[in-house]
Amino acid sequence: MHISSLSIRNFRNFYNSKFIFKKGINTIIGENGSGKTNLFFALRVLIDDKLPRYIRFYESDFNRSLGKWAGHWMILAVTFEELDASEEAQVLAVQSSGDMEGNKNTGSYSVYFRPKYQFRKELYDYSQTAGKTVEGLQLYLDKLTVDDYETSYLCRGTGDFSDDEIYKKYVGDFEAVKFPNPDNKEELIFGTFLPREISVHNEVSCTFIKALRDVESDLRSYSTNPLINLLRGKEKTVEISKQTDIIKSIDKLNDQISSLKEVKEVKDGIDKSIKEAVGTTYGPNIDVKSELPNDMEKLLQSLKLWVGDPDEEGYMGKIWELSLGGANMIYLSLKLLEYEKIRTDRIANFLLIEEPEAHIHTHIQKTLFDNVQTNKTQVIISTHSTHISSVSRISSVNILSRGKKQTLVYQPANNLDDEYITRAERYLDAIRSNLLFAKGVVLVEGDAEQILIPQMFKKVFGISLDEIGVSLVNIGSTGFKNVARLFHNDRIKKNCAILTDLDASIVDLPANENEDSTYQKHCRASQVSGAERKEKLDKFCKNNDFLNPFYSDYTFEVDFLMNGNSHEFVESLDEIFKQQAAIDSSKKKLQDKSVSVAGVEVLRLADKKGKGWLALVVADNLVYNTYIPDYILRAVAFASAHLNNATKAKTAKYRLRKIGRSKFDEYFETAKKTSFKGKDDQEVIDEYVASFPNDQFTKFLWYL
């Protein structure tokens, strides 16, 4: 049995969220504050016997996007798949309308935090009155407190309360003032109470390992040490003759220890002290004896785990000598082994691990979660580690993204064919998987773009792409489609811009292609390929609001140069040439206004040293008024739709300072007269746009 989905309604970060899980290892990816801990708490309320049987919820537990929470329900609902035939598992099996047998392989379990019956009845009665109004409804809701709520645990329900229509029908439509009659049990939707003798918390095993958990104390404890559980019962398989020999040896050893002269001296001293204090009439007789356990079960339970560093061969020490990371790694391994080998009496095993990267080294993260095999245990890991996410199957990944007063949940593999899932998983290494964490994504196809675009954005606008939550990812030769298809209304609902080249010829081409020179043939072929690429990419992105392609006319280097950025290349020439004559010749060509001269020269430089190397050199010579090509500006703006006013205002102030220090800037005089002192963020933005209508940042704001 494993969890296939978790639905959360109106609980903390989650207004209306549904998680999809697979057998084996599942990964929850999310930025700080996106609700990973709250997700685990919701799961634990349903399956972890370490929490109180009936959780008390508070006003603050309702999702803030509700505004007024009174009358709304908090609903946590989990769906199980592959139920076995045991009675404990089958009590969870859902029942379908018209089918008393129901689905024996699928089960459900839900927690409802809802107003008590009498208040639900009042809401229903009011909704049946002719003169009902939203204002009149509010009078009933204003009376409600959390003390008027009850917590109900039900199983076998089929209602998906992440569906707004289901929620309105069976909980209530607050805008239309429509509420259901609580006398209608609707057991097919809500479920039924569990039999008294069965508790889900007692029938499944659940271990929650929080990010900063002290696993050393767990490994010392009799009740939580997985090593003891692994050893439990093993005494029954030890041969009787061996048990007898061991017990005789223990008894002999106890006698030897007890009869030591040093032990007897301590015993006599204690006995004498007591007798002198209270007398021989009331003083107890004292002895000191060795009590090494001579019971096989207790002997095995006394075994301790000793560990050694792989770089310090021959030395073994106690578990507490390890770092927290080492202890966590051992604890995780023992717990998985325990669940896989020992816990046969439970109908399911669940291991919830919060941010293992808090203590586990990056290489171990990848190895541990890439190699671990689970047959009887479902593992759910929360992380913001790209190393763990890079080895996670995207079919078992849920992505959390912070929205306005709520967390949004995405499944990147939803409605994707297995072939495309496999391609994407092969591509998402630890570097590229950061796109799963971003608020917006820009895909590029070369090293030069990967190096220069983030640097020019930082230099021109005073903020980094990382700061605004935009990941720029170099696709290389993989092809945009393998990754871009993750961004879709069915999957990751975040903007993804695609940057590529049209590769238009930088030299004039004869009307008759048979008259092409070798260089012209090359240019013509690139131009044809660029046009075909645009046609295919436009078709691929059509009707997808989360994808948008942006094209350079020529190539990145040529377009960057021809947008008035010859200074950046000219300043880099002394890194490329040693002779002054070569520098002067190249400088003249780079400053030429014709693309057939300047474009040819910049591509020659790129071929001479490599595009990546040239980009690194040029990056050192970027300035605040380096001109970002329009197609790049539009692409980054598309990926930055989430940008807030605080960031915009910060950039406006940065630009104002830079312009005000440059006498040669066309806006120098305007900048000296402009002040943002005492203005709020929106006022700063408005004044900047009005004062600098042709500035790059003003254009960027318009594109947003």
Side-chain angles (χ1 to χ4, degrees), residues 279-299:
T280 57
T281 301
Y282 295 102
N285 295 319
I286 297 298
D287 201 353
V288 177
K289 292 187 176 183
S290 173
E291 290 188 357
L292 295 176
N294 61 359
D295 177 84
M296 282 302 300
E297 180 180 2
K298 292 180 179 178
L299 278 172

Side-chain angles (χ1 to χ4, degrees), residues 615-650:
L616 286 171
V617 175
V618 171
D620 290 336
N621 296 299
L622 296 173
V623 290
Y624 88 93
N625 59 353
T626 293
Y627 193 84
I628 302 175
D630 197 62
Y631 78 102
I632 295 176
L633 206 60
R634 289 177 181 270
V636 176
F638 178 73
S640 306
H642 57 276
L643 212 59
N644 59 37
N645 279 353
T647 303
K648 296 173 187 176
K650 178 181 178 181

Side-chain angles (χ1 to χ4, degrees), residues 246-299:
I246 292 172
I247 290 171
K248 286 182 177 179
S249 298
I250 296 294
D251 289 341
K252 183 178 179 181
L253 185 58
N254 279 330
D255 290 340
Q256 289 176 333
I257 295 172
S258 301
S259 62
L260 287 172
K261 181 181 70 172
E262 290 82 359
V263 175
K264 285 188 172 293
E265 287 176 354
V266 170
K267 172 256 183 186
D268 292 341
I270 296 172
D271 187 59
K272 181 180 179 182
S273 177
I274 291 175
K275 295 291 172 49
E276 289 177 350
V278 299
T280 57
T281 301
Y282 295 102
N285 295 319
I286 297 298
D287 201 353
V288 177
K289 292 187 176 183
S290 173
E291 290 188 357
L292 295 176
N294 61 359
D295 177 84
M296 282 302 300
E297 180 180 2
K298 292 180 179 178
L299 278 172

Side-chain angles (χ1 to χ4, degrees), residues 121-349:
K121 183 65 172 174
E122 285 185 28
L123 293 177
Y124 167 70
D125 290 341
Y126 179 72
S127 70
Q128 300 303 302
T129 61
K132 64 182 181 182
T133 63
V134 172
E135 292 74 19
L137 169 64
Q138 194 59 47
L139 295 177
Y140 284 90
L141 298 178
D142 288 343
K143 297 187 299 181
L144 279 174
T145 70
V146 288
D147 292 331
D148 300 316
Y149 272 68
E150 63 182 6
T151 303
S152 299
Y153 287 75
L154 303 177
C155 63
R156 297 190 171 191
T158 60
D160 181 3
F161 290 94
S162 65
D163 184 323
D164 286 338
E165 295 305 313
I166 297 291
Y167 185 84
K168 289 179 181 179
K169 181 177 180 180
Y170 294 101
V171 172
D173 187 332
F174 290 74
E175 294 179 357
V177 194
K178 291 182 179 179
F179 292 88
N181 188 347
D183 290 328
N184 297 329
K185 300 298 185 181
E186 300 289 359
E187 291 184 343
L188 284 175
I189 299 299
F190 295 117
T192 58
F193 288 99
L194 283 167
R196 287 182 177 274
E197 68 275 11
I198 294 178
S199 166
V200 170
H201 293 73
N202 296 331
E203 303 304 334
V204 302
S205 298
C206 177
T207 297
F208 172 56
I209 304 175
K210 62 183 180 182
L212 298 176
R213 179 169 181 158
D214 182 9
V215 299
E216 179 192 318
S217 63
D218 287 335
L219 289 169
R220 286 180 173 182
S221 168
Y222 177 82
S223 61
T224 59
N225 187 347
L227 176 62
I228 290 177
N229 288 329
L230 287 167
L231 292 169
R232 187 172 284 120
K234 294 296 183 183
E235 73 281 355
K236 297 175 183 177
T237 64
V238 179
E239 293 179 12
I240 298 298
S241 58
K242 289 184 177 179
Q243 289 190 42
T244 301
D245 290 344
I246 292 172
I247 290 171
K248 286 182 177 179
S249 298
I250 296 294
D251 289 341
K252 183 178 179 181
L253 185 58
N254 279 330
D255 290 340
Q256 289 176 333
I257 295 172
S258 301
S259 62
L260 287 172
K261 181 181 70 172
E262 290 82 359
V263 175
K264 285 188 172 293
E265 287 176 354
V266 170
K267 172 256 183 186
D268 292 341
I270 296 172
D271 187 59
K272 181 180 179 182
S273 177
I274 291 175
K275 295 291 172 49
E276 289 177 350
V278 299
T280 57
T281 301
Y282 295 102
N285 295 319
I286 297 298
D287 201 353
V288 177
K289 292 187 176 183
S290 173
E291 290 188 357
L292 295 176
N294 61 359
D295 177 84
M296 282 302 300
E297 180 180 2
K298 292 180 179 178
L299 278 172
L300 291 178
Q301 290 172 2
S302 71
L303 295 174
K304 305 296 181 185
L305 196 67
W306 283 58
V307 295
D309 194 304
D311 297 326
E312 200 172 337
E313 189 174 349
Y315 176 77
M316 301 289 281
K318 296 294 182 69
I319 188 73
W320 51 85
E321 294 184 37
L322 278 181
S323 65
L324 281 175
N328 268 272
M329 183 174 61
I330 288 174
Y331 184 80
L332 283 174
S333 301
L334 284 174
K335 205 67 191 177
L336 279 171
L337 183 61
E338 174 194 345
Y339 280 163
E340 292 294 299
K341 302 294 185 183
I342 303 301
R343 296 282 184 123
T344 56
D345 60 323
R346 302 297 178 98
I347 59 176
N349 301 312

Side-chain angles (χ1 to χ4, degrees), residues 673-686:
K673 300 174 185 177
T674 303
S675 173
F676 295 144
K677 189 175 181 180
K679 295 180 171 65
D680 64 27
D681 291 341
Q682 188 60 57
E683 289 172 333
V684 168
I685 296 165
D686 292 341

